[in-house]
Amino acid sequence: MRIDLLRHGTTGRDGHLDGRTDPPLSELGWDQFRRQTQSRIWRRVVSSPLMRAHAAAAEFARQTGCALAIDPDWSELDFGRWDGRTRADIAGEAGGAALLDAFYSDAAVAAPDGESWADLQARIARALDRILSSPEAAPALVVSHGGAIRAALAHLLGWRLRQLWSLRIRPGTRIAVEAGRGESGAPWAEIIEIIQP
């Protein structure tokens, strides 16, 4: 089945670790979303509950009449005490640079009081399993976040954490995959399209 993974448009805070911090889409962000969905047809839309994803997904569902499901598992990574800050600001603190390096290279490392990549991958795996379990509602559009989309690609393609940084997923990027389950029940996918904003 085809699944389009769409990162919400820009909020004007590119470079900030906005996990639970939830600024609204900027006008450019709305434009990015509309260009990525214009003249496209999906039978259902699944969205993160965060407003920067949900607001645009809900508008698209209203305009097209397709089903909309809000799934908390598609929320962005919880950056804990780093949430809303820039990497440069965090790196400037004592020990911050080393912790950031560990965070981006070891899936078990979490931001202080936050969530690890392994935790994120576990909930994205659940979210993808729900989508793959109901293939009659394909194709599907998932409106989510950069970290969640990377976790989805890791789950479907078997990519390791360090490999995830080799693909730029800017706000407004749409990545289409053809996905399913093998005879063993394990998920598989191939990327069929990447559309940068």
Side-chain angles (χ1 to χ4, degrees):
M1 74 179 291
R2 179 179 172 128
I3 304 172
D4 285 77
L5 303 166
L6 174 56
R7 184 178 179 186
H8 63 79
T10 187
T11 62
R13 287 177 50 85
D14 299 355
H16 288 76
L17 299 179
D18 287 338
R20 297 304 187 256
T21 301
D22 196 18
L25 292 180
S26 66
E27 283 303 313
L28 175 58
W30 277 102
D31 183 58
Q32 289 169 333
F33 179 87
R34 290 177 180 131
R35 280 186 281 134
Q36 289 285 24
T37 57
Q38 184 176 23
S39 303
R40 305 283 311 184
I41 297 172
W42 290 279
R43 293 188 59 198
R44 65 177 161 159
V45 178
V46 179
S47 176
S48 157
L50 294 168
M51 286 307 299
R52 60 190 185 269
H54 175 244
E59 178 184 275
F60 178 81
R62 275 194 306 274
Q63 290 177 347
T64 61
C66 67
L68 171 65
I70 305 303
D71 186 342
D73 280 341
W74 282 104
S75 294
E76 180 59 289
L77 183 78
D78 183 350
F79 290 103
R81 283 186 272 147
W82 290 350
D83 214 284
R85 299 173 63 194
T86 65
R87 283 183 285 277
D89 179 39
I90 296 162
E93 295 179 342
L99 188 51
L100 274 171
D101 185 55
F103 176 72
Y104 283 103
S105 60
D106 184 341
V109 174
D113 298 326
E115 187 177 27
S116 71
W117 285 101
D119 293 334
L120 174 63
Q121 288 176 335
R123 62 179 169 82
I124 294 301
R126 290 192 306 262
L128 283 166
D129 285 345
R130 286 191 289 275
I131 291 174
L132 293 172
S133 295
S134 54
E136 69 279 355
L141 171 66
V142 175
V143 184
S144 191
H145 311 274
I149 291 171
R150 284 186 170 87
L153 295 174
H155 181 66
L156 292 170
L157 302 171
W159 289 359
R160 294 182 179 168
L161 181 59
R162 282 195 180 272
Q163 293 172 300
L164 296 174
W165 309 119
S166 64
L167 178 62
R168 180 176 290 182
I169 306 175
R170 297 165 65 187
T173 298
R174 180 165 52 87
I175 301 173
V177 298
E178 189 68 31
R181 295 183 193 278
E183 289 183 14
S184 68
W188 61 266
E190 62 180 352
I191 295 173
I192 56 176
E193 195 174 32
I194 299 175
I195 309 93
Q196 297 285 359

